[in-house]
Amino acid sequence: MSFSPMMEEGDILYRNAFENAAVGIAYISPEGQWLRMNKRVAEMFGYTPAELEALRFQDITHPEDLDTNLDFLKEVREGRREGYKLEKRYFHKAGHIVWVNLSVSCIRDTEGKVRYFISVLDDITEQKRVRQALDESEARFRGYQQTSPDGFMLLHSLRDQANEIVDFVWDFVNPAGEMISRQSKADLIGARLLEVMPSNRSLGLFDAYKKVVETGETWQGEISYPRQTHGIVWLRITAAKVDDGFAVSFQDITEHKDAEIRLRESQDRQRRILDNVVALVGLLRPDGTVLESNKPSLMAGGLQRQDVVGKKFWECAWWSYDPDVQASIRDAVMRAAAGEQMRFDVEICGADGKRIPVDFQLAPCFDEAGRVTEIIPSGIDITERKLAESQREMLVRELSHRVKNSLAMVQAIASHTMHVESSIEAFRESFSGRLRAIAACHDLLIATTRSSANVAQLVSEQVSPYTSPQAERVTMSGPPIILGPEASYAFGLILHELATNAVKYGAWSNETGSVSVSWSAKLGKDGRTEVIVDWRERGGPKASPPERKGFGSVLIEESLSHSLGGQAHIEYAEEGLNARFQFPVEGVA
């Protein structure tokens, strides 16, 4: 039969409100038949009004909600309640679920029986979807927080009457937060931050959290945190604003920090070691980029660490003096990067612009797979070695020169002595004495500077074999005067000849005669320093000129004129031999 409650009421305004209501409104028979519904109901379930009127509400109700709905209807029919509210599910015509917030009331006849039910249906499907998503998100959040190794806490602000934040109160703590803080959730939830952990203020954490809440800016930091009874813990903390409070996550990085400190101490120790070795040492990547350079290498080039770290090794100032050297260093680094150990001598540019010779090496470092991971350049200053090599070469040349000169002198002495001596015994005595004089000069040169001799030492060496200076038969006086090697040999032979002549014929041929040797220096006409040596004999036999010119006279004349570039004046006086020698010298000490 046709049923039209709205027409019976005859209220046109009510009908308009019914048809255009934002919620679904339907009239349902006691048996569940859809008697009449507004267009919102049809839209809600995807049916036309005619299709719904052919159905009962039981036909589109989710089975899990049907019994509850029928029980409420039964209670209304029996008069135990006038209406009810229920969240229930319907099936949309397309098959998906529609969640509805259902409010049901009834209209009764005069006998109290239910004529029809009035159902108001509010579609809450989207609300349910959002709530479900939130529930799922919260479940995931709680699941993550239960298993996360990072501590996590939620705190809300505690404000005073001026709306200033004076503290924070815990709302949530995850298990890792309990473990890291060594505080139970039961003791923290609802407690105030500064009361439980007052060090948050002295460490600056409270001010950091307050700024997060006031500005909305996330804060991150690492801090050494003192726990009340469990020592120091290093924490990496991140705080972000949540409503009128903040969420804070934190990691225990104590082991990492301890390892970092140990690594830094190890690196500092290695750097101190490297900085105190004599060698110039560095560290390169395989592509030649400088990673480290020790103090001696930086000082050698007058550089700072920032001048070289990050640059290609061959582009550093050590090699800037020559593009060819830079190219050779680059090639050597590339060969070392391929696994070859390199060693060669090269010069680096020193702090004062002078070049420093170094014994240079490039040593590749390999990983377990045999790949070159780093290259260690090192060098040793070989300036002294180079000087020693140069000195050795000079000495070899000097030795060669001296040997040649000595051999020539020995040959000349032998030849002249042979011509003037009348017997083998006389030749042997004269020749041996002259060789000893040469040897004495040579020993003197070796014992002093190896290239020069003092006149005083030379006189003493040549005179001492014949008479002791302490015997008061010889006196020596004069300033320090230095002779070169050739002059030392020549003048030493002259002194030898004078001494042997004094023993044979002069002042030392008796028991009372004496010899005085004096020398002085003056500036010559050519601007060079000249030495004047006086040999005076007293108390011996009368000095007489030789009947023939012997080798001694020849040696004295030739030595002075050829070797010394000087001249001699010899006087055979009644009181003894007087000889004066004048020749240029290298200098006066």
Side-chain angles (χ1 to χ4, degrees), residues 272-417:
R272 287 194 299 272
I273 292 171
L274 289 177
D275 285 346
N276 285 281
V277 298
V278 177
L280 317 178
V281 183
L283 186 65
L284 312 179
R285 289 197 184 100
D287 65 357
T289 302
V290 179
L291 297 174
E292 285 295 343
S293 184
N294 74 338
K295 189 175 180 180
S297 61
L298 295 173
M299 292 178 64
L303 302 171
Q304 299 295 323
R305 186 171 179 274
Q306 60 268 23
D307 297 332
V308 298
V309 173
K311 294 182 66 174
K312 297 299 183 185
F313 186 56
W314 52 86
E315 293 177 357
C316 295
W318 296 302
W319 323 107
S320 60
Y321 65 89
D322 190 338
D324 291 338
V325 173
Q326 289 179 310
S328 67
I329 294 298
R330 182 181 62 246
D331 293 342
V333 170
M334 294 303 102
R335 291 172 65 180
E340 185 176 353
Q341 186 154 351
M342 307 295 296
R343 182 173 183 176
F344 49 90
D345 288 355
V346 69
E347 292 181 335
I348 65 172
C349 185
D352 55 1
K354 294 181 180 179
R355 297 182 191 177
I356 303 171
V358 295
D359 177 0
F360 185 68
Q361 296 187 59
L362 287 167
C365 299
F366 301 91
D367 62 11
E368 294 180 355
R371 294 184 296 264
V372 176
T373 57
E374 294 169 331
I375 300 171
I376 299 176
S378 62
I380 298 176
D381 186 342
I382 55 174
T383 301
E384 291 187 3
R385 192 191 83 185
K386 288 292 185 180
L387 290 174
E389 289 175 354
S390 177
Q391 180 73 7
R392 184 168 61 250
E393 292 175 2
M394 184 273 291
L395 289 175
V396 169
R397 291 194 299 269
E398 178 68 16
L399 178 61
S400 176
H401 176 69
R402 290 187 186 183
V403 168
K404 290 178 181 179
N405 285 349
S406 296
L407 289 175
M409 183 177 292
V410 169
Q411 186 178 18
I413 291 172
S415 177
H416 283 286
T417 305

Side-chain angles (χ1 to χ4, degrees), residues 136-148 172 174-175:
E136 291 174 353
S137 176
E138 184 174 352
R140 286 194 298 271
F141 168 79
R142 291 187 177 276
Y144 169 78
Q145 293 302 338
Q146 291 296 318
T147 58
S148 173
F172 175 83
N174 74 344

Side-chain angles (χ1 to χ4, degrees), residues 465-482:
Y466 304 100
T467 182
S468 171
Q470 286 76 26
E472 297 183 352
R473 299 195 69 185
V474 60
T475 58
M476 296 177 288
S477 63
I481 298 177
I482 303 300

